[in-house]
Amino acid sequence: GAGVSQSPSNKVTEKGKDVELRCDPISGHTALYWYRQSLGQGLEFLIYFQGNSAPDKSGLPSDRFSAERTGGSVSTLTIQRTQQEDSAVYLCASGGAFQETQYFGPGTRLLVL
Amino acid sequence: EDQVTQSPEALRLQEGESSSLNCSYTVSGLRGLFWYRQDPGKGPEFLFTLYSAGEEKEKERLKATLTKKESFLHITAPKPEDSATYLCAVQAWSSGGSNYKLTFGKGTLLTVNP
C-alpha cells in the first residue's frame, strides 16, 4: 500500500519567511509524528498526534514552530519567521494506535538562506 | 535522559566481509529498540524491533540482537546494495504516558565495496 508522503520534497526560503510542510500518513494510522534531522545530528522529536487527543508539543524548539492535524489525517508543520538554523530535513512518520513501529516518509529538505 | 550511542560512525567493508554495528543505550525502562536503514536523500526504512534482552531477529543478511545495555546489527556477507546509514532508536516506558518518542543515535554509515 501507499506509504507516508510529504510535500514539498525540497524547499528553499529566505530568512524571515514562513513555510508550511505537509504530511499524508499511511491510511488507517492514527498516530503521526514529526522529527527533524540536522546535518551531523540524530533525528530529533518535534511533535506527536494521536487520534483526537491533544498533541504532545514538547519537542518543538520554539514558539515559531506549530503543527496541526486536520480530520485525524493530514498534518501541516508551520515554521514562522524562519532562521538559518531551521535548515534541516523534516521527517514525518505514522503508526498504529499502540505507539509501536513508526513508518517514515521521504522528508522535506528545508534550506533557509 | 535517554541516550543512544552508535559505533563506529563509519564502516567500510569489502563485499562478503561480515561485521557488526553497535548501539549502546541508556534508558529508564526499555519499551522497544528499533533499527532503521536510511539511504541518501530518503527517509528511514524500518528494519527491526527488539523488545527484550536475548531477543534476535533476522532479515536476509541482517541479524539484530539485544542485551540489557546494547544492540548489535550483524551483517553477514554484505553486498554493495547494503551500503546505507543504519540508525538505532529506543522507545522508553514513561510514567507520564509519553511512551511513543523515539530517541535516535547518530547512525553508522556503512559502505560496502565490490
Side-chain angles (χ1 to χ4, degrees):
Chain A
V4 178
S5 60
Q6 292 186 245
S7 60
S9 54
N10 294 280
K11 177 72 176 178
V12 181
T13 190
E14 294 179 347
K15 177 181 175 181
K17 300 277 188 176
D18 296 352
V19 295
E20 285 189 351
L21 314 179
R22 176 187 167 103
C23 172
D24 280 273
I26 294 171
S27 178
H29 279 184
T30 58
L32 188 146
Y33 315 78
W34 283 97
Y35 290 83
R36 178 169 71 175
Q37 187 173 33
S38 303
L39 195 62
Q41 302 298 314
L43 275 77
E44 170 192 17
F45 168 81
L46 297 177
I47 189 168
Y48 162 72
F49 295 90
Q50 174 62 273
N52 295 320
S53 301
D56 178 354
K57 306 178 182 180
S58 61
L60 295 178
S62 77
D63 58 9
R64 297 187 295 104
F65 289 72
S66 63
E68 63 177 20
R69 189 178 185 191
T70 53
S73 181
V74 172
S75 177
T76 302
L77 177 69
T78 301
I79 308 173
Q80 296 179 310
R81 304 181 302 282
T82 52
Q83 304 294 311
Q84 289 181 332
E85 59 263 30
D86 298 333
S87 296
V89 178
Y90 290 82
L91 291 158
C92 174
S94 69
F98 297 102
Q99 305 156 356
E100 61 279 25
T101 302
Q102 299 176 23
Y103 296 91
F104 285 83
T108 293
R109 282 145 195 84
L110 175 65
L111 177 61
V112 182
L113 300 176
Chain B
E1 184 179 334
D2 304 333
Q3 288 191 326
V4 178
T5 303
Q6 292 188 246
S7 62
E9 291 184 9
L11 180 63
R12 189 176 293 270
L13 300 174
Q14 288 297 124
E15 185 172 2
E17 179 186 2
S18 301
S19 188
S20 296
L21 313 182
N22 177 264
C23 171
S24 297
Y25 64 90
T26 303
V27 65
S28 53
L30 183 68
R31 188 170 190 249
L33 185 141
F34 300 80
W35 282 98
Y36 288 85
R37 168 192 170 127
Q38 187 172 27
D39 292 300
K42 297 190 176 181
E45 174 190 347
F46 171 71
L47 293 174
F48 304 109
T49 308
L50 301 168
Y51 294 103
S52 57
E55 188 175 2
E56 298 183 352
K57 288 194 176 174
E58 288 188 65
K59 179 181 179 180
E60 298 181 351
R61 295 177 293 283
L62 300 177
K63 177 179 172 181
T65 62
L66 181 65
T67 73
K68 290 186 177 180
K69 294 183 180 180
E70 57 191 349
S71 177
F72 291 93
L73 185 65
H74 306 277
I75 304 177
T76 302
K79 297 182 177 181
E81 53 261 43
D82 294 324
S83 297
T85 295
Y86 290 85
L87 300 172
C88 172
V90 296
Q91 193 178 52
W93 288 108
S94 168
S95 58
S98 56
N99 302 320
Y100 39 80
K101 295 180 188 178
L102 291 180
T103 300
F104 280 86
K106 294 184 179 182
T108 293
L109 174 61
L110 174 67
T111 304
V112 182
N113 295 316

